[in-house]
Amino acid sequence: MYWGIFLVFGTQVFSQQLSFSNMTDANLPEVSKSQRNSMDAKVGDIDGDGDLDLIVAVEFVKNIILINDGNGKFSDESFRLPDIQALASTKPYPYYPYHDTEDIALEDFDNDGDLDLVFVTEDDKVNEFYLNKGNGHFEDRTSEFPVQGVSNGVLAGDFDKDGWIDLIVGNNGQNNYLKNDNGKFMDITSERLPLVEDITQDLQAVDFDMDGDLDIIVANEKANRFLLNDGMGKFSHATPIFFDDDVLGEETREATFADIDGDGDYDLYFANVYMFQQVEPIQRLLVNQGFGKKFVDETEKRLGFTKEYSIIDGTFADLDADGDQDLVLLTHLGPKLFQNDGSGHFKDITKSAFGELQGDGVDTEIADFNGDGKLDIFIGCFRGSDMLLIQD
């Protein structure tokens, strides 16, 4: 790739064309290529060797740890997670003793310098908690986790700025705020979150009002919400301040944010789906007009479409290293890549960048997996092989 070379399309300017090689067969282990349901993934240096590993949440079976050899080739080292022991009783769930795992938090929860794990679970309502023993192997602390529920999302952050990473669990019902008290989680939901019944699929944290604390985007099946932090980890409804009702009504699977137009504030993309609500979705790229003003829907203007049967995930990243944020979208038919021209307008370069890729993607993780200074893409897929795309 030759940086600094530009291609002009009408009035839009794009950096040199991106391209990726599908390294799934060569660089992912067999467990990643099975017909399992990968629901989420997180990137981090699990074993402390300086490269980026992967944790993958998988429905109904043991979750997966993929260890990087430093060159972007991964091995299955799921043995680093303890096997869950079945109790001597009638199976309470068809896939017992494993769980309907949906989302992951990968952070240093006990402040000892290594990464710990939380998995949240939907159907069987058992959330899992694991502490890193310091060598990239984990011990089960699930019995210490204070809440259970039909959970699809989990968000980690130091919301009250006390130096400890807290959690917000997104539920079908009331979401939970778990305060981290010296490595122990305490449920203080009634003190910190509005009491409201949602069907939450995703949670994102960003300092939207630029006051030094983390605010929250709540992506729901029916109506998304925006919550403002008071600086001490107490959140209040602020949706009408920032959004008109008609841009938040779709069934949202994922939310993502970035400064797409280089004006210094965060813009939003909601990946909307046709699933449980049985309503044709409109995709939403919402552009921030500055603090005190409402976001404006500019999907058609900037992406060139508003309707897509389902987009399950959206992720912003500067894939071409030109200083602006590009966008990867996952559909039931395969991933799409939209390149930013620097002003927040996007061109679909899927075919030239990815070739003919098919798969029911659910989650995207973008990182430099092979240490060459370029960003690569891992895609967790539903009922099919996960994908690893290494940038050329």
Side-chain angles (χ1 to χ4, degrees), residues 3-22:
W3 306 116
I5 297 176
F6 295 90
L7 304 176
V8 178
F9 300 90
T11 59
Q12 296 179 309
V13 181
F14 296 91
S15 57
Q16 178 68 25
Q17 188 69 60
L18 282 162
S19 63
F20 293 80
S21 294
N22 187 353

Side-chain angles (χ1 to χ4, degrees), residues 162-178:
D162 66 350
W164 294 86
I165 301 295
D166 309 309
L167 289 172
I168 296 175
V169 179
N171 298 317
N172 185 341
Q174 173 67 47
N175 295 336
N176 300 116
Y177 186 109
L178 305 183

Side-chain angles (χ1 to χ4, degrees), residues 305 307-308 311 313 315 319 327-331 333-338 348-351 353-354 357 364 377 379:
F305 67 91
K307 291 189 177 181
E308 174 78 34
I311 295 179
D313 185 66
T315 305
L319 288 165
L327 179 61
V328 178
L329 300 179
L330 300 184
T331 76
L333 300 178
K336 293 186 175 185
L337 175 55
F338 292 80
D348 186 347
I349 61 166
T350 303
K351 189 171 182 179
F354 291 161
L357 278 181
T364 310
I377 303 172
I379 300 174

Side-chain angles (χ1 to χ4, degrees), residues 244-281:
D244 289 324
D245 289 342
D246 62 351
V247 301
L248 299 177
E250 278 76 33
E251 181 178 350
T252 300
R253 177 73 195 208
E254 293 284 338
T256 187
F257 61 87
D259 179 6
I260 65 167
D261 49 8
D263 65 353
D265 52 36
Y266 292 110
D267 310 296
L268 270 171
Y269 179 79
F270 289 116
N272 295 326
V273 296
Y274 181 90
M275 285 188 184
F276 302 108
Q277 302 305 318
Q278 301 289 293
V279 175
E280 182 180 16

